[in-house]
Amino acid sequence: MHPFDEMYEAVAQSAASPVAGAAVRAHYRSYASWLAGQDDTLMRSRRDEAELIFRRVGITFAVYGAKDEDGSGTERLIPFDLIPRIIPADEWREMRRGLVQRVTALNRFLHDVYHDQEILKAGVVPAEQVLNNAQYRPIMQGVDLPNNVYSSISGIDIVRAADDQGKGVYYVLEDNLRVPSGVSYMLENRKMMMRLFPSLFANHRVAPVAHYPDLLLETLRASSPAGIAAPTVVVLTPGMYNSAYFEHAFLAQQMGVELVEGQDLFVKEDFVYMRTTRGPKRVDVIYRRVDDDFMDPEAFRPDSSLGCAGIMRAYRAGHVTICNAVGTGVADDKSIYPYVPKMIEFYLGEKPILQNVPTYMCREPDSLKYVLANMKDLVVKEVHGAGGYGMLVGPASTQAEIEEFRQAVIARPDGYIAQPTLSLSSCPTYVESGIAPRHIDLRPFVLSGTEVQMAPGGLTRVALKEGSLVVNSSQGGGTKDTWILEV
């Protein structure tokens, strides 16, 4: 079966060009007509202009472990594609409903895990899966959070694949609830498209995304400890050598709040303060882009200099809010992902709107047996892996790679899950050879405060290598602007 193509009703097997004469889907027709009239030389010059501007602005990410020829660390641009991914209004409405439902259930699960543990007592989620999980934080047990929200900013990865009738079906591939990144690229991609092709936005009713920083700040302020009329919000970054530092600085600047490092904060009498030129200033909400283990050397890793000593004491006392909450990782672990549909039914009494990808848990003997026998056809993932690492894509791997991964799974089956190799939907993409289909995913950013909100769309990531299913920027993927058409 051919992959579902977002723009055309059929896609070529070779991925060199769309099927000749294939019908254009209704929501792409106006754009396809415009694209057909564009000169290739003009498109190439626009692509070069985008790269120059992104480089000048400093929209880069660091690649850990990668080295330039001189041995120094390397920073790379995330390639930007000129052809947008377009989603019609009715599809977005349904996806949005599913995202609100899913994130609401995940926050209910996190509150339950750190309080009464009803879902564990009911046997819906195995207790050992949670309580023995590396991301479970006993220090959070019994801590009450504003609005009972643990994941204020959730990045939910969604893919699309063709069903038996060739219709595109959306699936949730992964929940990112700790420190999800990429929203700055969503915003910068839109600005770039409006700069390069302003006429397109006069002819298409594209839902705006520029208000995301306002929504984010509203969400963070809504999570402030009770009784504070004008909360002070800061963005906590590990520093300029972090791969997502551009985004940390960008969001702080867009929200008009301070960007701080751990050394800029201190705790006194269980309150958190920021050092300023005018003296200490109390901090009420910390939008942290630092992992749990590095947040507080008193509570977690004593060798960490990225966080602030005593911050967990202030947090547990209710004098500061950390977004996302410490301990959220227990809900986005890949070994917990298969239980999210059951969480939705348990907490909300509803059927899931968005489907999970079928998942085999290698900790279960029957699933392990199936996975070991069918590795060449599956995607096998380390439960704590991220960024496209710790993963085997069976159909694209050598026999030696499969055998090496097989031994790792046998040695530690509870550390792995496996899924069918979905043929991710493709979207026309401007590559060196011209316009060709490439596989994509979508990461909408869901904000939970007193209510659940989101900017329309999200970050579309694209696997630029022909045939590749790995869209992660650290693995050579690029990004596209995502258009939600307003009716």
Side-chain angles (χ1 to χ4, degrees), residues 69-111:
E69 290 178 8
D70 63 359
S72 64
T74 180
E75 284 205 344
R76 296 179 190 164
L77 284 178
I78 295 183
F80 166 70
D81 182 51
L82 300 176
I83 300 178
R85 187 253 187 91
I86 304 178
I87 299 174
D90 59 332
E91 284 184 14
W92 172 248
R93 276 195 299 272
E94 188 71 359
M95 191 190 302
R96 191 184 189 286
R97 283 181 58 233
L99 289 165
V100 170
Q101 179 195 60
R102 190 175 182 99
V103 169
T104 300
L106 284 163
N107 270 311
R108 292 276 292 275
F109 170 72
L110 283 160
H111 177 76

Side-chain angles (χ1 to χ4, degrees), residues 97-98 101-102 340-341 344-346 348-354:
R97 283 181 58 233
Q101 179 195 60
R102 190 175 182 99
V340 178
I344 292 169
E345 295 193 30
F346 185 81
L348 307 180
E350 301 169 359
K351 293 291 184 186
I353 296 167
L354 290 169

Side-chain angles (χ1 to χ4, degrees), residues 105-368:
L106 284 163
N107 270 311
R108 292 276 292 275
F109 170 72
L110 283 160
H111 177 76
D112 186 20
V113 160
Y114 290 114
H115 288 79
D116 297 330
Q117 301 185 345
E118 297 293 344
I119 200 165
L120 307 186
K121 292 170 185 172
V124 176
V125 178
E128 70 273 12
Q129 282 284 94
V130 172
L131 304 179
N132 296 336
N133 193 297
Q135 297 300 319
Y136 171 68
R137 307 294 181 195
I139 196 172
M140 290 297 294
Q141 205 64 44
V143 178
D144 292 321
L145 301 183
N147 310 309
N148 292 338
V149 167
Y150 286 71
S151 182
S152 302
I153 304 98
S154 307
I156 309 298
D157 290 347
I158 293 179
V159 297
R160 199 181 210 187
D163 62 12
D164 294 339
Q165 285 77 46
K167 183 183 175 186
V169 178
Y170 289 111
Y171 295 90
V172 174
L173 186 66
E174 199 165 284
D175 304 294
N176 298 282
L177 309 178
R178 295 174 232 186
V179 281
S181 63
V183 76
S184 59
Y185 302 105
M186 174 187 86
L187 298 170
E188 289 291 350
N189 287 352
R190 175 60 53 83
K191 281 165 61 178
M192 184 61 69
M193 285 294 286
M194 294 180 82
R195 175 179 180 141
L196 297 179
F197 308 111
S199 65
L200 279 175
F201 292 88
N203 299 327
H204 293 80
R205 293 189 51 140
V206 181
V209 295
H211 60 299
Y212 176 85
D214 297 331
L215 292 180
L216 176 59
L217 184 57
E218 180 186 319
T219 298
L220 294 170
R221 284 177 170 160
S223 70
S224 167
I228 298 169
T232 297
V233 177
V234 299
V235 177
L236 174 63
T237 177
M240 63 184 294
Y241 296 108
N242 182 266
S243 61
Y245 181 73
F246 164 78
E247 177 158 298
H248 308 165
F250 174 87
L251 289 174
Q253 185 266 330
Q254 291 287 305
M255 289 190 289
V257 305
E258 292 295 331
L259 179 70
V260 300
E261 296 182 30
Q263 63 195 12
D264 301 319
L265 303 175
F266 68 92
V267 175
K268 183 177 180 183
E269 296 175 354
D270 291 350
F271 286 90
V272 180
Y273 295 88
M274 163 175 54
R275 295 181 173 91
T276 77
T277 53
R278 298 182 179 180
K281 181 175 177 60
R282 184 179 158 186
V283 172
D284 306 301
V285 181
I286 299 171
Y287 174 28
R288 55 92 173 224
R289 300 298 294 260
V290 174
D291 291 339
D292 284 1
D293 285 340
F294 302 96
M295 282 295 293
D296 184 345
E298 281 185 13
F300 302 117
R301 286 183 55 154
D303 60 341
S304 172
S305 58
L306 299 179
C308 171
I311 205 168
M312 288 302 295
R313 279 189 281 109
Y315 186 33
R316 285 170 56 82
H319 296 158
V320 70
T321 303
I322 298 172
C323 299
N324 286 343
V326 171
T328 54
V330 76
D332 73 4
D333 185 285
K334 292 181 180 68
S335 68
I336 298 295
Y337 160 90
Y339 298 101
V340 178
K342 292 180 179 179
M343 291 177 200
I344 292 169
E345 295 193 30
F346 185 81
Y347 295 114
L348 307 180
E350 301 169 359
K351 293 291 184 186
I353 296 167
L354 290 169
Q355 299 183 43
N356 264 25
V357 177
T359 302
Y360 302 97
M361 291 177 277
C362 296
R363 62 188 291 274
E364 297 176 349
D366 288 347
S367 291
L368 176 62

Side-chain angles (χ1 to χ4, degrees), residues 5-113:
D5 190 83
E6 299 288 338
M7 184 168 172
Y8 295 97
E9 291 182 4
V11 65
Q13 289 182 342
S14 68
S17 64
V19 171
V24 175
R25 299 190 191 279
H27 58 284
Y28 260 102
R29 281 177 195 151
S30 175
Y31 176 80
S33 175
W34 174 88
L35 183 62
Q38 300 309 301
D39 178 71
D40 185 63
T41 305
L42 175 72
M43 292 293 280
R44 287 186 184 276
S45 71
R46 291 286 187 269
R47 187 177 67 173
D48 293 344
E49 183 182 345
E51 183 174 327
L52 181 68
I53 293 168
F54 278 155
R55 201 173 290 282
R56 188 179 296 152
V57 173
I59 306 175
T60 60
F61 72 102
V63 184
Y64 295 128
K67 299 289 182 183
D68 283 331
E69 290 178 8
D70 63 359
S72 64
T74 180
E75 284 205 344
R76 296 179 190 164
L77 284 178
I78 295 183
F80 166 70
D81 182 51
L82 300 176
I83 300 178
R85 187 253 187 91
I86 304 178
I87 299 174
D90 59 332
E91 284 184 14
W92 172 248
R93 276 195 299 272
E94 188 71 359
M95 191 190 302
R96 191 184 189 286
R97 283 181 58 233
L99 289 165
V100 170
Q101 179 195 60
R102 190 175 182 99
V103 169
T104 300
L106 284 163
N107 270 311
R108 292 276 292 275
F109 170 72
L110 283 160
H111 177 76
D112 186 20
V113 160

